[in-house]
């Protein structure tokens, strides 16, 4: 298994277009067993996704090919022992500035070699998970 996190800059998009993008991504991810979260704030994306190596590679190719964003910067690309977002084929939230910045600017580079050797949960990913858990707890599933 593998997990990838990145940030990117969104191209101008209506709410409907963003919803359609998310629905398409969820459909594809559900089909090939990829899970994760997508955060959007003020024209920026943060995404973390995970799954079997081949599936992650396929989704990553779709993300790279998308014309809906640019300036993609990989924060984490690491082998995983277990999933961190098993229940979400692509959770979505729009965090406030401070939460988005804290996640995007966390020490992802520092997490990479550590994860490769110990296979522990990368520290910045723990922050994503804790933010997402709180977000979802405040908004019961539809
Ligand atoms: C921020 C962002 C996240 C995406 N996440 C996924 C994803 O998790 N799974 C997936 O299959 N495609 C994902 N995509 C790709 C889109 O689902 C879709 O293939 C693509 O946006 C359609 O191509 P186009 O954007 O060039 O019209 C993502 C695209 C963007 C911009």
């Amino acid at each position: 298994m593998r997990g990838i996190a990145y940030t990117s800059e969104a191209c101008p998009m209506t709410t409907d277009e963003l919803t359609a993008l998310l629905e398409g991504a969820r459909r594809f991810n559900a089909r090939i067993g990829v899970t994760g979260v997508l955060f959007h704030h003020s024209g920026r994306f943060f995404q973390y996704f995970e799954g079997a190596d081949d599936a992650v590679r396929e989704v990553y190719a779709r993300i790279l090919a998308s014309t809906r964003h640019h300036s993609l910067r990989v924060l984490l690309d690491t082998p995983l022992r277990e999933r961190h977002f098993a229940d979400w084929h692509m959770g979505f939230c729009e965090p406030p500035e401070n939460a988005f910045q804290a996640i995007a600017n966390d020490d992802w580079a520092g997490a990479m070699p550590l994860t490769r050797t110990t296979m522990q949960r990368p520290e910045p990913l723990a922050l994503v998970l804790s933010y997402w858990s709180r977000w979802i707890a405040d908004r019961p599933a539809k």
Side-chain angles (χ1 to χ4, degrees):
M1 293 228 294
R2 199 152 195 91
I4 295 181
Y6 71 86
T7 55
S8 67
E9 308 292 324
C11 297
M13 224 182 302
T14 64
T15 307
D16 283 354
E17 286 170 330
L18 182 57
T19 304
L21 184 153
L22 189 59
E23 282 170 1
R26 279 180 175 151
R27 244 191 328 270
F28 192 85
N29 295 356
R31 191 151 59 73
I32 61 169
V34 163
T35 51
V37 281
L38 176 64
F39 291 179
H40 176 252
H41 171 76
S42 186
R44 291 190 73 200
F45 289 118
F46 165 87
Q47 188 173 24
Y48 168 77
F49 59 102
E50 61 190 13
D53 288 19
D54 284 357
V56 164
R57 210 170 299 128
E58 235 179 290
V59 165
Y60 190 45
R62 282 166 59 86
I63 289 167
L64 283 180
S66 176
T67 57
R68 302 305 176 114
H69 61 170
H70 60 92
S71 309
L72 191 146
R73 199 160 64 88
V74 174
L75 302 173
L76 183 76
D77 180 358
T78 189
L80 294 177
R81 197 174 43 194
E82 57 185 4
R83 285 180 197 264
H84 301 295
F85 290 88
D87 298 338
W88 302 95
H89 281 114
M90 198 42 62
F92 177 76
C93 74
E94 300 201 283
E97 175 78 16
N98 59 346
F100 188 93
Q101 290 296 346
I103 288 165
N105 297 333
D106 207 344
D107 183 21
W108 291 91
M112 277 234 240
L114 176 80
T115 313
R116 286 238 163 77
T117 50
T118 66
M119 304 290 261
Q120 286 170 350
R121 174 178 295 159
E123 208 46 55
L125 203 50
L127 181 61
V128 176
L129 198 53
S130 103
Y131 184 79
W132 175 251
S133 308
R134 267 179 286 130
W135 173 276
I136 223 57
D138 290 346
R139 292 162 188 80
K142 277 180 244 165

